[in-house]
């Protein structure tokens, strides 16, 4: 079991498979990209599977989410998914992606045992997409979403970040489109995860702003805390249901008290929080020949030291040293 001093138990593992990405979203990284991790520093496919197996069989992990960077860029992705889906007990598996390569890979991922996907899409307007991502790939994302739905990687969840002066007016249109296409939309408050440190609390589009905008067109009925559980998104029924919309308000409505996550970076570091400044090295233990029991013990000790909160509710919060592409969303 992965328990911390506040009694929280981690059952959800986020695994970053690569720090690389084929977009350059303004809220994540600079236009020229980043200095990527050297290949020898990255975990191999076998190392990733071994750590996940330890987490599932020895530490109580029930859900595994593959992230990046962009996880579809990982050459061995389908094989990793297949091996994880074959574990006993079998964890729930999901993937967070920008969707660009999903049209090609969705059927193979489903056949390998992937349960569902989360796809990032911030706008319905191709020109705004190009401005936000610095790439002209809007059509590819839409086709990837359709392929995921057709392959049965459901519920297909769409993650959207609203930015002042770019797409902050699109919340109602995005929700109408999601309902029409049977996607579950989740808005995410912009977080301080950009490598260029351009995030500012002042002027950000908040959960309150998003909900006020949605209510100009839809009736929203809160699901309540019992339905939410440890999920990061507060959810509302749209016009009485069955469709739902969620809002992840990491900045203005922190949900740290119910957090059930642990994170593994692409280079084999445990992070107890997306915004943690400390990391615990599992790669060195792996490569020095440590047995599973020793690695599990290192992981338990790391989680025992998890802090009470992310620190985002502190107005003086400074951005993490590592960009999101290296940590995994």
């Amino acid at each position: 079991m992965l328990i911390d001093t506040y009694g929280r138990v981690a059952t959800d593992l986020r695994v970053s498979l690569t720090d690389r990405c084929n977009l350059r979203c303004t809220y994540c990284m600079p236009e020229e990209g980043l200095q990527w991790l050297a290949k020898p520093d990255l975990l191999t496919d076998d190392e990733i599977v071994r750590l996940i197996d330890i987490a599932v069989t020895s530490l109580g992990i029930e859900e595994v989410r593959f992230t990046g960077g962009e996880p579809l860029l990982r050459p061995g992705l389908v094989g990793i998914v297949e091996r994880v889906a074959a574990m006993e007990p079998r964890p729930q598996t999901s993937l967070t992606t920008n969707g660009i390569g999903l049209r090609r890979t969705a059927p193979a991922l489903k056949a390998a045992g992937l349960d569902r996907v989360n796809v990032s899409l911030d706008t319905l307007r191709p020109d705004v997409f190009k401005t936000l991502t610095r790439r002209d790939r809007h059509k590819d994302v839409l086709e990837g979403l359709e392929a995921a739905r057709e392959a049965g990687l459901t519920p297909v969840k769409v993650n959207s970040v609203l930015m002042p002066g770019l797409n902050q007016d699109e919340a109602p249109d995005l929700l109408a489109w999601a309902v029409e296409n049977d996607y579950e939309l989740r808005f995410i408050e912009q977080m301080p995860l950009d490598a260029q440190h351009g995030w500012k609390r002042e002027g950000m589009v908040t959960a309150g702003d998003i909900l006020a905008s949605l209510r100009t067109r839809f009736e929203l009925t809160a699901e309540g805390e019992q339905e939410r559980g440890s999920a990061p998104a507060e959810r509302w029924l749209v016009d009485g249901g069955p469709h739902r919309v969620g809002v992840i308000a990491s900045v203005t409505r922190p949900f740290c008290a119910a957090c059930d996550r642990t994170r593994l970076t692409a280079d084999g570091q445990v992070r107890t929080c997306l915004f943690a400044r400390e990391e615990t090295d599992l790669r060195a233990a792996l490569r020095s020949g440590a047995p599973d029991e020793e690695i599990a013990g290192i992981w338990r000790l790391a989680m025992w030291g998890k802090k009470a909160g992310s620190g985002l509710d502190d107005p003086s919060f400074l951005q993490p040293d590592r960009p999101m592409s290296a940590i995994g969303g």
Side-chain angles (χ1 to χ4, degrees):
M1 180 183 293
L2 290 172
I3 188 170
D4 64 32
T5 54
Y6 299 92
R8 296 169 297 192
V9 178
T11 58
D12 184 336
L13 171 61
R14 305 297 170 98
V15 182
S16 175
L17 297 179
T18 178
D19 59 330
R20 296 174 183 266
C21 189
N22 43 13
L23 296 180
R24 295 292 181 270
C25 296
T26 57
Y27 51 77
C28 184
M29 68 173 72
E31 185 171 5
E32 64 275 13
L34 300 165
Q35 183 173 350
W36 309 121
L37 292 167
K39 189 172 181 180
D41 293 335
L42 292 170
L43 294 177
T44 66
D45 292 0
D46 287 343
E47 288 171 337
I48 289 170
V49 172
R50 183 182 171 196
L51 287 176
I52 294 174
D53 185 65
I54 292 170
V56 169
T57 61
S58 301
L59 298 173
I61 290 299
E62 299 171 357
E63 300 179 41
V64 177
R65 171 85 61 86
F66 299 104
T67 71
E70 174 44 54
L72 294 182
L73 296 179
R74 178 89 186 198
L77 172 62
V78 172
I80 292 171
V81 170
E82 186 172 30
R83 293 167 70 183
V84 172
M87 290 178 180
E88 292 291 342
R90 184 193 187 282
Q92 293 183 346
T93 58
S94 59
L95 177 85
T96 295
T97 172
N98 61 31
I100 287 177
L102 206 49
R103 180 180 61 176
R104 174 176 50 85
T105 56
L109 287 169
K110 180 64 178 179
L114 189 71
D115 294 317
R116 63 173 188 81
V117 293
N118 286 35
V119 180
S120 299
L121 180 65
D122 303 320
T123 178
L124 298 176
R125 304 192 294 248
D127 58 324
V128 176
F129 181 91
K130 188 174 181 179
T131 299
L132 277 168
T133 67
R134 305 184 178 103
R135 298 290 187 271
D136 189 12
R137 307 296 297 272
H138 189 258
K139 182 173 179 286
D140 296 318
V141 179
L142 295 179
E143 291 177 350
L145 279 160
E146 293 174 5
R149 185 184 59 208
E150 291 170 3
L153 293 170
T154 54
V156 176
K157 296 184 179 181
V158 177
N159 296 338
S160 297
V161 176
L162 299 183
M163 303 281 288
L166 286 172
N167 63 336
Q168 69 184 86
D169 62 330
E170 284 198 67
D173 291 339
L174 281 163
L175 182 52
W177 165 82
V179 168
E180 180 182 353
N181 289 278
D182 201 26
Y183 303 138
E184 184 174 325
L185 180 63
R186 306 191 311 172
F187 292 99
I188 304 176
E189 285 184 337
Q190 185 195 1
M191 295 177 283
L193 295 167
D194 56 318
Q196 62 270 35
H197 293 182
W199 178 85
K200 294 189 186 332
R201 184 180 297 268
E202 302 78 17
M204 64 171 284
V205 182
T206 67
D209 297 331
I210 294 165
L211 292 170
S213 179
L214 293 176
R215 286 185 170 119
T216 63
R217 196 182 305 180
F218 302 95
E219 178 184 344
L220 303 181
T221 306
E223 274 196 334
E225 291 300 316
Q226 187 172 359
E227 290 286 337
R228 181 182 184 184
S230 61
E234 296 179 73
R235 297 199 306 177
W236 287 261
L237 291 172
V238 179
D239 291 339
H243 292 96
R244 292 169 172 81
V245 63
V247 178
I248 299 177
S250 301
V251 178
T252 62
R253 304 180 187 179
F255 41 85
C256 302
C259 181
D260 65 349
R261 297 179 182 179
T262 183
R263 298 175 180 275
L264 183 65
T265 67
D267 54 349
Q269 311 299 307
V270 168
R271 291 180 70 96
T272 60
C273 174
L274 188 60
F275 303 99
R277 296 183 179 279
E278 303 83 16
E279 297 179 333
T280 301
D281 188 7
L282 296 185
R283 184 186 64 199
L286 272 176
R287 295 181 179 178
S288 67
D292 289 359
E293 296 80 6
E294 181 179 332
I295 293 170
I298 296 170
W299 206 329
R300 287 192 191 97
L301 187 61
M303 292 304 294
W304 184 250
K306 184 173 182 173
K307 295 180 179 178
S310 65
L312 280 177
D313 51 352
D314 181 352
S316 64
F317 179 85
L318 297 175
Q319 293 89 340
D321 297 328
R322 290 231 269 174
M324 182 166 62
S325 61
I327 298 167

